[in-house]
Amino acid sequence: MKHDAAAAPETPSQSWKVTLPCTRAEAEALDGDIAAFALLDRPPVLMTSEVEEDNPEAWKLEAYFEGRPGPAALKLLKALVPSAARTRPQVEQLPDEDWVTMSQQGLEPVIAGRFHVRNLPDDPAPQGLKSYLIAAGRAFGTGQHETTSGCLAMLDRMHSVGMRFRNIADIGTGTGLLAFAAMHLWPRAYATASDIDPVSVDVTEKNAEVNGVPVGGGVGQIALFTSAGVDHPAIAMRSPYDLLIANILAGPLIELAPALCACLEEGGTIVLAGLLDEQADAVMAAYRAQGMRLAERIDNGHWPCLRLRKRPRIGWRRPLRLNPQARGEAPGFGSW
């Protein structure tokens, strides 16, 4: 992701934590909801916990930032916990450890559709569900955020109604979870996963090994690429796709609309997430302009997941391969 305009310039490795007291009611209201930070380029990870076992109303909010948070970010954070309006936030730089790993360790497993996602090996895997171990680490997409769980639910629903795909791409793959889920549902498909962040691609490869997902270029295998959007020759060569998944942010989703749709075959499906309720109309308008129509929407808190279908076009003008002029770059953006 690109740098947060509200943060002071820092090296990318610096991690900061902001702590504020809050009430139990405020903590419960924050469960999984970081909508206030969605427009920041580097939103924090929020964690709440009890302060004293014998005082059930005493809680605290901890926000983990990549880079030192500026005044605007602190103001947004305080707005989430009105009881701390007169309290000065405790701001501290963390040691040289991975801020995403620290903030996500011990997260509760998530169930979305037929999928169970855990981040600790000791968490039991329920019978009847497809379980993935996605350890807390250097990439987003452990399943806890509404955008990821909404995509899992959408994929499961698509399979349940009989939809079938043979060539799948997950753009902005993060941890690889959504690509893995799609491969489980359609095991005879070709699968492509890419991310602008090479760390995410490395994490995806490791997660594939842990979860028994074969890596490679053949049927039932996942091919991994580091790419800004779809700006990679191999991604173009593997097109057209009949299913594209993009769980990123509203800005890059709009910017990538022409290139993503150029990679999609006629009648193909795109699943979009990472956008807020108030951003959905703008995102859908960008894709309608490329010949897409909204087929289904799942609302998961403030975070909708959209399924769109490409309208067939008649005649020799229909595209079969990626338009070389549609580079599909969204510089500075990573995945959730």
Side-chain angles (χ1 to χ4, degrees), residues 27-79:
E28 292 175 348
L30 286 172
D31 184 20
D33 183 6
I34 57 171
F37 288 96
L39 298 181
L40 294 182
D41 297 321
R42 290 188 295 171
V45 174
L46 305 182
M47 304 289 290
T48 57
S49 58
E50 290 182 281
V51 177
E52 305 170 12
E53 291 186 4
D54 56 351
N55 185 359
E57 296 305 315
W59 284 63
K60 66 179 178 180
L61 167 64
E62 295 174 315
Y64 293 85
F65 288 85
E66 185 181 1
R68 183 171 185 167
L74 294 177
K75 183 178 180 181
L76 284 174
L77 193 65
K78 291 189 69 173

Side-chain angles (χ1 to χ4, degrees), residues 128-335:
L129 297 179
K130 176 59 178 177
S131 185
Y132 289 105
L133 174 61
I134 306 293
R138 298 168 292 167
F140 286 97
T142 58
Q144 271 73 20
H145 197 276
E146 289 90 337
T147 60
T148 309
S149 59
C151 286
L152 290 172
M154 180 68 80
L155 293 173
D156 179 65
R157 185 180 299 185
M158 290 160 57
H159 184 273
S160 297
V161 299
M163 298 181 71
R164 296 292 180 264
F165 302 101
R166 66 184 186 280
N167 194 12
I168 300 167
D170 180 16
I171 306 302
T173 193
T175 61
L177 173 60
L178 297 180
F180 301 164
M183 292 177 67
H184 171 74
L185 296 172
W186 299 285
R188 297 300 299 167
Y190 292 90
T192 302
S194 70
D195 202 286
I196 191 173
D197 185 0
V199 169
S200 291
V201 177
D202 180 59
V203 168
T204 296
E205 186 172 15
K206 290 181 171 60
N207 285 337
E209 181 180 359
V210 168
N211 290 280
V213 177
V215 175
V219 172
Q221 298 177 324
I222 184 170
L224 304 177
F225 304 99
T226 300
S227 171
V230 293
D231 187 33
H232 192 290
I235 297 177
M237 289 297 296
R238 292 169 69 88
S239 69
Y241 302 96
D242 53 4
L243 173 61
L244 279 172
I245 306 164
N247 178 23
I248 39 181
L249 294 170
L253 284 178
I254 292 172
E255 183 177 350
L256 287 169
L260 291 181
C261 294
C263 284
L264 192 68
E265 70 177 31
E266 294 181 14
T269 295
I270 292 183
V271 174
L272 304 177
L275 55 142
L276 287 163
D277 285 334
E278 57 265 30
Q279 299 168 329
D281 288 343
V283 171
M284 285 190 289
Y287 285 81
R288 280 196 299 267
Q290 303 300 321
M292 305 294 297
R293 65 175 179 85
L294 181 65
E296 188 176 4
R297 171 173 172 163
I298 293 177
D299 287 295
N300 198 0
H302 294 282
W303 307 90
C305 179
L306 310 176
R307 176 169 68 86
L308 302 101
R309 189 167 182 268
K310 190 172 186 178
R311 299 178 186 272
R313 290 197 286 176
I314 300 173
W316 63 271
R317 295 180 181 275
R318 63 178 183 265
L320 297 179
R321 291 288 178 183
L322 173 65
N323 180 351
Q325 302 303 317
R327 293 179 59 80
E329 293 183 359
F333 293 96
S335 60

